[in-house]
């Protein structure tokens, strides 16, 4: 997210005045007056930023910290002395010692009018809206004391609701045309599904040729949902079906929880971002009526073993057997990223790890291994996955995801939807006592946990690969086993790990696959990490051009900015600060755990001893834990 | 669209991209040419343009939907635009329109059954001093009377 | 369209002029001297907003950049305006010479004419004309023998969007986007077409420049009023015997103008096109000038038989269709104003609500993102104010409405 204005769509182009590198130098900053309060800011600061600095509240709607400036909703207008018209605070860069009034009568009247206009076209009732009590328009209506519809209120729906997608639903009747979704889809994610269509009073947000979302190249990342100020975009909510399954005495309902929802769900209950609620959530889920609560981190550990083995095999085939193998290997945990690749770079699907995502691995295990152990007919199991992600809903509905003989995962549930279920059950999550996950999968390692943050899969993989190959402890190389080079919110990270001349013995688990590590002596492992598909695109273009990323061995891609913790199913609002806090919560929890490497997880070892007895990447593991992909292409029929 | 037609369209767009350049600022020039030749910009063409200019198809569609002279669905072979702005309105636009509708056999906003004409309104053609006015494709006609308008349309092929 | 050039008369633009005259003079002058001359003339933009041309040019000339652009705004879409049509068809020498001078002064190598799509029939004649200039070394390399002064002009066609007459929307359109106005600042003078310093001038403004360079700022200033110097081309249409384009000095009153075009029984005059204001008889002594009744040149005359509510409805329908739709006040505001007009039409309205709508109009004037939304409430407010009896009271003393 270095340059928020790159390839911005029309009118959203900020054309910002660049803020000087040294605002402290003469001419680098300017003193302005806001409501008679003097404040000095660097040249080019917007009025909105200056007001925030000065602690003055300015209402906003089209503005979003993650996105480039739009200046279209006009709710943030302020008076600038000497100017005939009001100015949008979000879009006005300060370059002169101006005097600003933020709540004069003209300003207040204008804001109220703008609000009244929006409300006049905003169809639907707040109490039947998914965003009730978390809606920016509703908040403003309250803030400005709206007590009636000055300019009327639509009584008839103008647009049909688009429920075609497994993941993202659209209700244009609630859209206020702030274009945050457009800027998210085009600039932030570079997917390019949504744009303004038509003009004048016909303007609306839509897809190519107004097709259904399911028929265009939407990757289901749901980032648009996270940034929508109203209820115009929301996820496909399966909670009614899940309630029904819970009520059904013949159904055995199990739930797996991913790390990111646990790090964020507290926000839905009024807590500050950055509180992990793993133990509390386990209790709450049992009280709701789930029969078993499993930890997705377990299958994340499994992913590391399977995906890591796959990588080792690819490298072995390429370096020793001199075979044509697709390298670098791409991670496949993020279903948004997978669909992005299928659409935009279908020629590279052989680079995708064939290992399923943790959600789908777990799904296949639950309806086979677990069913057998627990003596339950898999047809009676309803498998739910709590994910930070809207694309997981699409993933579990992929036709190939039935390797257990049944639909491996029945429902993908987002953090927001789960929070709603918990509230519905009358539970206040922060007050829950803590409890552990259920056996036979038990608790998982910290490596599985950090999958939630960008760089996490890579870090988890490195913790295991380093020990597998060198025989050393990860702690010997990285203090406290924290692989800091792959952490952080930088859009693209590139790291080289020299393996050195000392290699260890091949661990028992994969001994049948590679005889020794001598072929890796002196080699350098090159890896990269990208989050947000716009960054993924940069890497893919580099690979296509034969740049440095084409020489990587392993690349972690996450569709969402920040990784899973910034997923499209996470609590709203989102911004970099919130995502940072969620990451801190995840890393803190990892450090608090005893077992922090996937291969040290005793339950993983047990699984390979009892069930997947032929080891990783064996026939059975390929049947249950690996998958294939579809070349979708960009063409929209 | 048949494969042959698709290939022809791709070639045509490639030639236009070659002529105007691969940058975004060529978009409207390319759209203008396609529109002129085919009287509409089919969705396949939009996607080819998007591919060659390295933008998203929805951006092309968004631009087309913004401009009154660009459209994605085929209209008639000849587009008749009668100015509906105030001066033409005052000088007898309605009578002219009624005569045209009777003659062509379809309403404004519609395409005639034989696909020969598409009738629509235009916002100010800039001919207010010699109004009422209309444009048939690129050509403009002024000081219209109902009889004159019908006569003009009868001469259009 | 017949060429009426021989019949036209005026003091500034509609005068004798030979192609290239002022370019030849300009290249022998220092750039700063030309700027001073334009400053001296007090020339202001002829598109309607009236920004001082010299200031615009100075800012662009001062901006540091390899590439700069001169854009001629020929997207004349304001209902009731057609002066640029006449200038481009009959006086292209003034317009294009003005562009070349602009290029010389600001240091641009490229000029672009944004010609509205409705004027496509002019495209080939204009291209021929430009080729003629090239043949005479008025375009191309080392123009008029001035070493290092290269300038080219190209023509881009619009595609039917009124809002593209707004300069930043025009630039967006040139760049291949929807014609949605940009946030300002930064202004085109520093960040315009392709992010480069760009001068966007109305056709008529550029024509004026050619004459100023030819005859001097002092001469130009002799015409018009103190604050509105020079003359103005008025596009006159509606209920009069002699509609057409007239060159008159700034400061001409509406009464004088009505006499010239032989209008009778005039009830109302719309000054400035659809987005202008509508005046009634009591205001016909007002002067057409930036300091009084400002206008881009459109004058629409309505006689006693016209229904002003019908006129207003036509204008508001226009804006609802032509708003670009990006900002809230303009997109929904215009719809609400049109709804208000329809309410009055049906008799189903309250005075209180109509007053609310007028207040909304005032908000639109200050809170809209660009000039379209800022001026579209003008006809609504002025027609309802100036023709209150006719429209709201239907001439019966106020028993209509609830």
């Amino acid at each position: 997210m270095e340059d928020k204005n790159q390839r911005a769509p029309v009118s959203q182009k900020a054309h910002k005045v660049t803020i000087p590198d040294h605002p402290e130098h003469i001419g680098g900053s300017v003193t302005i007056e806001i409501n008679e309060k003097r404040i000095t800011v660097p040249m080019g600061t917007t009025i909105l930023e200056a007001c925030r600095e000065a602690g003055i509240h300015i209402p906003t709607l089209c503005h979003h910290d993650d996105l480039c400036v739009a200046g279209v909703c006009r709710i943030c207008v302020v008076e600038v002395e000497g100017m005939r018209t009001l100015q949008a605070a979000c879009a006005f860069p300060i370059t002169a010692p101006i005097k600003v009034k933020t709540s004069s009568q003209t300003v207040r009247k204008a804001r109220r009018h703008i609000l009244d206009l929006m409300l006049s076209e905003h169809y639907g009732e707040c109490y039947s809206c998914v965003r009730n009590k978390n809606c920016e328009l509703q908040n403003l209506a309250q803030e400005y004391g709206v007590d009636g519809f000055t300019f009327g209120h639509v009584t008839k729906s103008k647009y049909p609701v688009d429920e075609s997608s497994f993941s993202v639903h659209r209700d244009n009747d609630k859209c206020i045309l702030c274009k945050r979704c457009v800027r998210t889809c085009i600039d932030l994610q570079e997917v390019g599904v949504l744009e303004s269509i038509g003009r004048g009073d016909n303007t609306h947000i839509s897809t190519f040729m107004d097709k259904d979302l399911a028929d265009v190249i939407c990757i289901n990342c749901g980032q648009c949902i996270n940034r929508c100020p109203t209820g115009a975009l929301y996820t496909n909510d399966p909670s009614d079906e899940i309630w029904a399954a819970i009520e059904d005495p013949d159904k055995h309902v199990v739930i797996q929880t991913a790390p990111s929802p646990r790090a964020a769900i507290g926000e839905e209950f009024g807590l500050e971002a950055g509180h992990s609620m793993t133990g509390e959530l386990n209790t709450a889920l049992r009280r709701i009526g789930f029969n078993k609560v499993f930890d997705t981190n377990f299958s994340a550990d499994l992913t590391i073993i399977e995906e890591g083995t796959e990588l080792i095999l690819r490298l072995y085939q390429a370096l020793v057997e001199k075979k044509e193998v697709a390298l670098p290997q791409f991670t496949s945990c993020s279903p948004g990223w997978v669909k992005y690749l299928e659409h935009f770079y279908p020629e590279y699907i052989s680079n995708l790890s064939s290992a399923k995502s943790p959600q789908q691995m777990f799904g296949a295990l639950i309806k086979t291994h677990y069913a057998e152990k627990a003596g339950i007919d898999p047809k009676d199991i309803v498998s739910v996955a709590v994910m930070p992600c809207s694309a997981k809903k699409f993933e579990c509905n992929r036709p190939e995801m039935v390797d257990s003989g049944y639909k491996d995962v029945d429902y993908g549930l987002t953090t927001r939807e789960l929070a709603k279920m918990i509230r519905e059950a009358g539970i206040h999550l922060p007050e829950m006592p803590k409890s552990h996950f259920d056996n036979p999968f038990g608790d998982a390692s910290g490596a599985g946990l950090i999958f939630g943050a960008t760089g996490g899969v890579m870090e988890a993989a490195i913790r295991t690969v380093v020990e597998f190959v060198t025989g050393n402890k990860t702690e010997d190389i990285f203090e406290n086993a924290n692989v800091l080079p792959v952490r952080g919110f930088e859009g693209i990270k590139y790291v080289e790990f020299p393996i050195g001349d000392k290699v260890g013995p091949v661990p028992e688990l994969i001994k049948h696959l590679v005889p020794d590590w001598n072929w890796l002596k002196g080699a350098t492992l090159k890896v990269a990490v990208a989050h947000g598909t716009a960054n993924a695109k940069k890497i893919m273009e580099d690979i296509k051009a034969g740049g440095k990323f084409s020489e990587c061995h392993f690349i972690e891609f996450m569709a969402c900015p920040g990784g899973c913790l910034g997923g499209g199913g996470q609590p709203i609002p989102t911004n970099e600060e919130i995502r940072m806090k969620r990451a801190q919560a995840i890393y803190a929890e990892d450090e608090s755990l005893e077992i922090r490497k996937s291969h040290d997880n005793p339950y993983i070892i047990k699984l390979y001893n009892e069930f997947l007895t032929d080891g990783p990447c064996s026939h059975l593991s390929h049947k249950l834990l690996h998958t294939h992909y579809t070349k979708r292409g960009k063409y929209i029929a | 669209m048949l494969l042959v037609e698709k290939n022809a369209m791709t070639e045509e767009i490639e030639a236009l991209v070659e002529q105007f350049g691969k940058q975004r600022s060529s978009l409207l020039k390319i759209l203008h040419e396609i529109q002129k030749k085919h009287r509409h910009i089919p969705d396949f063409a939009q996607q080819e343009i998007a591919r060659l200019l390295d933008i998203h198809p929805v951006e092309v569609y968004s631009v087309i939907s913004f401009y009154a002279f660009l459209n994605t669905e085929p209209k008639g072979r000849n587009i008749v635009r009668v100015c509906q702005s105030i001066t033409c309105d005052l000088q007898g636009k309605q009578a002219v329109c009624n005569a045209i509708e009777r003659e062509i056999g379809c309403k404004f906003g519609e395409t005639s059954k034989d696909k020969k004409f598409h009738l629509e309104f235009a916002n100010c053609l800039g001919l207010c001093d010699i109004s009422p006015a209309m444009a048939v494709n690129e050509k403009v006609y002024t000081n219209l009377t109902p009889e004159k308008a019908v006569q003009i349309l009868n001469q259009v092929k | 369209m017949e060429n009426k050039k021989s019949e036209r008369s005026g003091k500034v633009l509609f005068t004798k002029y030979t192609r290239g005259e002022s370019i030849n003079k300009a290249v022998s002058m220092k750039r700063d001297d030309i700027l001073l001359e334009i400053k001296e003339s007090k020339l202001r933009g002829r598109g309607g907003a009236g920004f001082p041309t010299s200031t615009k040019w100075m800012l662009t000339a001062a901006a540091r950049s390899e590439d700069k652009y001169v854009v001629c705004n020929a997207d004349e879409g304001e209902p009731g305006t057609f002066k640029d049509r006449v200038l481009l068809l009959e006086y292209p020498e003034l317009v294009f010479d003005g562009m070349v001078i602009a290029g010389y002064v600001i240091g641009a190598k490229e000029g672009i004419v944004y010609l509205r799509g409705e004027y496509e029939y002019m495209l080939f004649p204009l291209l021929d004309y430009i080729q003629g200039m090239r043949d005479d070394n008025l375009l191309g390399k080392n123009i008029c023998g001035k070493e290092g002064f290269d300038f080219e002009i190209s023509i881009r066609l619009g595609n039917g969007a009124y809002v593209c007459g707004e300069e930043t929307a025009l630039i967006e359109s040139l760049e291949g986007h929807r014609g949605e106005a940009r946030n300002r600042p930064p202004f085109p003078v520093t960040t315009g077409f392709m992010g480069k310093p760009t001068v966007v001038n109305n056709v008529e403004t550029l024509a004026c420049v050619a004459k100023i360079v030819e005859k001097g700022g002092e001469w130009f200033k002799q015409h018009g009023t103190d604050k509105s110097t020079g003359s103005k081309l008025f596009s006159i249409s509606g209920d009069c015997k002699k509609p057409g384009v007239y060159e008159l000095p700034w400061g001409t009153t509406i009464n004088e103008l009505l006499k010239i075009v032989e209008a009778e029984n005039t009830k109302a005059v719309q000054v400035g096109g659809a987005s202008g204001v509508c005046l009634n008889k009591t205001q016909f002594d007002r002067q057409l000038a930036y300091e009084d009744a400002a206008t881009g040149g459109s004058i629409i005359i309505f006689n006693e038989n016209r229904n002003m509510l019908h006129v207003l409805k036509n204008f508001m329908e226009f804006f609802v269709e032509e708003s670009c739709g990006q900002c809230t006040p303009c997109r929904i505001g215009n719809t609400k104003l049109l709804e208000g007009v329809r309410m009055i039409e049906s008799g189903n309205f309250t005075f209180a609500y109509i007053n609310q709508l007028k207040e909304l109009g005032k908000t639109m004037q200050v809170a809209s993102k660009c000039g379209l939304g800022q001026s579209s409430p003008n006809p609504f407010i002025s027609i309802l104010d100036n023709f209150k009896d006719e429209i709201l009271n239907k001439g019966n003393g106020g028993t209509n409405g609830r």
Side-chain angles (χ1 to χ4, degrees), chain B:
Chain B
M1 239 181 167
L2 296 169
L3 189 63
V4 216
E5 290 173 316
K6 281 187 177 175
N7 288 342
M9 180 64 86
T10 303
E11 267 176 42
E12 198 181 322
I13 294 167
E14 275 169 353
L16 289 171
V17 171
E18 178 82 10
Q19 184 188 345
F20 296 127
K22 222 177 126 28
Q23 63 280 16
R24 170 90 191 223
S25 55
S26 313
L27 177 60
L28 277 163
K29 296 188 218 173
I30 296 168
L31 292 178
H32 186 84
E33 296 298 319
I34 301 285
Q35 170 77 35
K36 208 167 164 175
K37 188 162 167 206
H38 301 269
R39 295 279 165 216
H40 77 294
I41 305 160
D43 67 342
F44 175 76
Q46 295 177 45
Q47 299 198 52
E48 284 299 276
I49 294 167
R51 180 175 66 85
L52 290 162
L53 296 185
D54 193 22
I55 54 179
H56 303 291
V58 72
E59 293 181 272
V60 178
Y61 178 53
S62 169
V63 166
I64 294 172
S65 70
F66 186 87
Y67 293 95
F69 290 179
L70 305 175
N71 46 280
T72 58
E73 299 301 330
K75 293 181 176 177
R77 291 195 301 283
N78 298 289
I79 295 179
V80 180
R81 293 194 177 94
V82 176
C83 179
Q84 63 176 349
S85 282
I86 188 68
T87 326
C88 290
D89 191 80
L90 298 179
Q91 307 296 335
K93 172 211 83 177
Q94 201 48 51
V96 171
C97 291
N98 293 345
I100 293 176
E101 283 184 346
R102 269 198 306 276
E103 182 68 17
I104 307 297
C106 71
K107 300 266 169 217
F108 271 77
E110 294 173 359
T111 304
S112 63
K113 280 205 188 82
D114 58 1
K115 302 265 188 283
K116 188 177 170 188
F117 289 106
H118 178 83
L119 305 182
E120 60 186 35
F121 290 115
N123 281 330
C124 199
L125 294 171
L127 301 161
C128 320
D129 52 338
I130 32 183
S131 58
M134 71 172 178
V136 180
N137 303 324
E138 290 78 44
K139 210 157 179 262
V140 292
Y141 301 90
T142 56
N143 288 323
L144 294 177
T145 58
E147 300 75 37
K148 193 174 164 190
V150 168
Q151 205 183 351
I152 290 163
L153 293 184
N154 280 332
Q155 282 160 8
V156 174
K157 285 191 184 127

Side-chain angles (χ1 to χ4, degrees), chain C residues 274-290:
Chain C
S275 67
V277 293
C278 197
L279 305 179
N280 65 19
K281 272 182 191 162
T282 62
Q283 296 153 307
F284 287 175
D285 54 350
R286 283 179 65 176
Q287 284 188 323
L288 295 163
Y290 289 112

Side-chain angles (χ1 to χ4, degrees), chain A residues 10-11 13 15 70-74 84-86 109 113 118 120 150-151 177 179 196 198-201, chain C residues 160 172 175 177-178 180 182-183 186 320-323 326-328 331 336 353 359 363 366-367 369 374:
Chain A
V10 58
S11 84
K13 233 172 280 175
H15 293 295
V72 295
C73 76
R74 315 303 288 177
R84 187 178 55 86
T85 56
L86 302 177
K109 198 183 94 186
H113 271 146
M118 282 177 183
S120 78
T150 315
F151 302 115
L177 283 162
K179 299 201 199 189
S196 303
R199 75 159 185 237
D201 63 335
Chain C
E172 284 288 305
E175 290 184 8
H177 292 281
R178 295 161 63 85
E180 293 178 344
R182 291 177 178 175
N183 293 308
V320 165
E321 240 178 73
E322 293 293 346
S323 159
Q326 66 165 332
C327 82
T328 318
R331 181 184 68 246
K336 291 295 156 194
Y353 187 63
E359 286 302 310
T363 289
V366 291
K369 187 166 177 178
Q374 288 164 9

Side-chain angles (χ1 to χ4, degrees), chain C residues 210-393:
Chain C
K211 292 306 286 191
I212 292 168
V213 170
E214 186 203 7
K215 298 226 171 136
E218 190 59 43
W219 167 83
F220 186 82
K221 222 165 50 175
Q222 284 164 9
H223 307 274
T225 70
D226 189 35
K227 281 183 178 154
S228 312
T229 56
S231 67
K232 179 79 188 92
L233 299 187
F234 291 99
S235 316
I236 300 168
S237 65
D239 297 321
C240 62
K241 287 209 179 104
K242 294 169 152 181
V245 175
Y246 290 81
E247 179 177 0
L248 301 170
W250 280 114
T252 307
T253 66
I254 292 169
N255 270 325
E256 286 165 355
L257 184 137
L258 289 175
K259 215 168 273 169
I260 295 171
V261 299
E262 297 179 17
E264 282 165 13
N265 296 324
T266 305
K267 172 165 76 177
V269 174
Q270 176 81 12
V271 179
S275 67
V277 293
C278 197
L279 305 179
N280 65 19
K281 272 182 191 162
T282 62
Q283 296 153 307
F284 287 175
D285 54 350
R286 283 179 65 176
Q287 284 188 323
L288 295 163
Y290 289 112
E291 62 272 29
D292 191 0
T295 168
S298 162
I299 306 284
I300 309 171
I301 302 167
F302 305 104
N303 70 21
E304 294 290 356
N305 301 322
R306 303 300 180 186
N307 175 347
M308 294 315 288
L309 189 62
H310 177 82
V311 171
L312 176 57
K313 191 172 150 196
N314 183 291
F315 289 154
M316 293 324 296
E317 282 170 347
F318 172 78
F319 289 120
V320 165
E321 240 178 73
E322 293 293 346
S323 159
C324 82
Q326 66 165 332
C327 82
T328 318
C330 179
R331 181 184 68 246
I332 314 179
N334 281 313
T335 326
K336 291 295 156 194
L337 298 188
L338 176 60
E339 261 176 42
V341 174
R342 292 200 173 121
M343 282 177 182
I344 300 173
E345 209 176 36
S346 68
N348 190 11
F349 68 97
T350 62
F351 287 105
Y353 187 63
I354 298 304
N355 285 334
Q356 279 275 16
L357 288 179
K358 276 201 236 166
E359 286 302 310
L360 171 66
K362 286 177 195 158
T363 289
M364 290 166 67
Q365 287 174 332
V366 291
S368 294
K369 187 166 177 178
C370 81
L372 195 159
Q374 288 164 9
S375 59
S376 65
N378 291 347
F380 186 88
I381 295 173
S382 63
I383 291 183
L384 287 183
D385 278 349
N386 291 337
F387 302 90
K388 199 174 170 189
D389 263 357
E390 176 191 331
I391 293 174
L392 294 175
N393 301 332

Side-chain angles (χ1 to χ4, degrees), chain C residues 169-214:
Chain C
L170 186 153
I171 291 171
E172 284 288 305
S173 178
L174 282 179
E175 290 184 8
H177 292 281
R178 295 161 63 85
E180 293 178 344
R182 291 177 178 175
N183 293 308
R184 304 185 303 174
F187 295 92
V189 288
T190 57
T191 316
F193 179 56
M194 307 307 273
K196 307 289 183 201
T198 305
V199 145
V200 184
N201 277 134
N202 183 268
V203 173
E204 191 184 343
T205 314
L206 290 167
C208 288
V209 166
K211 292 306 286 191
I212 292 168
V213 170
E214 186 203 7

Side-chain angles (χ1 to χ4, degrees), chain C residues 122-174:
Chain C
M122 292 186 199
L123 181 64
F124 287 109
L126 289 178
L127 287 174
D128 285 348
Y129 183 86
I130 290 173
Q131 188 52 45
M133 286 177 77
R134 251 176 235 134
D135 296 342
D136 291 354
N137 191 223
L138 295 170
L139 284 176
K141 297 220 174 294
N142 305 324
I143 292 169
C144 296
K146 179 78 178 180
E147 195 67 33
F149 175 42
D150 308 339
F151 193 72
E152 260 305 335
I153 293 178
S154 58
I155 302 181
R156 285 283 303 269
L157 276 173
N159 283 288
Y162 164 75
V163 68
C164 290
E166 200 277 347
E167 59 176 358
T168 58
L170 186 153
I171 291 171
E172 284 288 305
S173 178
L174 282 179

Side-chain angles (χ1 to χ4, degrees), chain A residues 145-294:
Chain A
V146 172
D147 50 3
F149 296 116
T150 315
F151 302 115
H153 186 54
V154 272
T155 48
K156 260 204 252 152
S157 160
K158 201 170 164 192
Y159 302 97
V161 177
D162 178 358
E163 293 183 337
S164 60
S165 161
F166 282 119
S167 299
V168 182
H169 288 181
R170 258 163 31 87
D171 181 358
N172 259 348
D173 280 328
K174 293 191 178 134
C175 175
I176 55 163
L177 283 162
C178 68
K179 299 201 199 189
R180 282 190 193 171
C181 56
V182 174
R183 283 173 283 155
T184 303
C185 199
I186 296 187
D187 303 347
L188 192 69
Q189 294 292 72
E190 293 207 22
V191 173
V193 163
L194 299 172
E195 242 291 24
S196 303
I197 305 299
R199 75 159 185 237
D201 63 335
N202 284 323
T203 316
H204 60 283
I205 305 296
S206 192
T207 55
F208 179 65
M209 297 299 281
D210 295 294
K211 286 177 190 292
D212 282 346
L213 211 48
D215 298 334
V216 294
I217 50 172
C218 174
I219 63 165
N220 304 313
C221 68
Q223 290 300 308
C224 52
I225 302 174
N226 284 1
R227 287 168 184 81
C228 181
T230 70
L233 286 155
Y234 52 95
T235 42
N236 175 11
D237 185 351
S239 52
D240 285 344
E241 284 99 317
I242 296 170
W243 280 122
I246 291 171
E247 297 298 317
D248 188 340
D250 296 333
K251 295 290 179 199
H252 181 77
V253 190
V254 302
I255 188 162
Q256 50 168 311
T257 72
S260 293
R262 296 167 354 204
I265 197 164
E267 295 163 36
E268 289 280 339
F269 293 89
L271 298 185
E272 278 266 313
H275 282 83
S276 229
M277 306 244 94
T278 312
E280 292 88 337
L281 192 60
N282 288 345
T283 315
L285 291 171
R286 289 194 184 93
R287 290 207 185 166
I288 283 178
F290 287 100
N291 299 93
K292 294 283 173 192
V293 183
F294 298 138

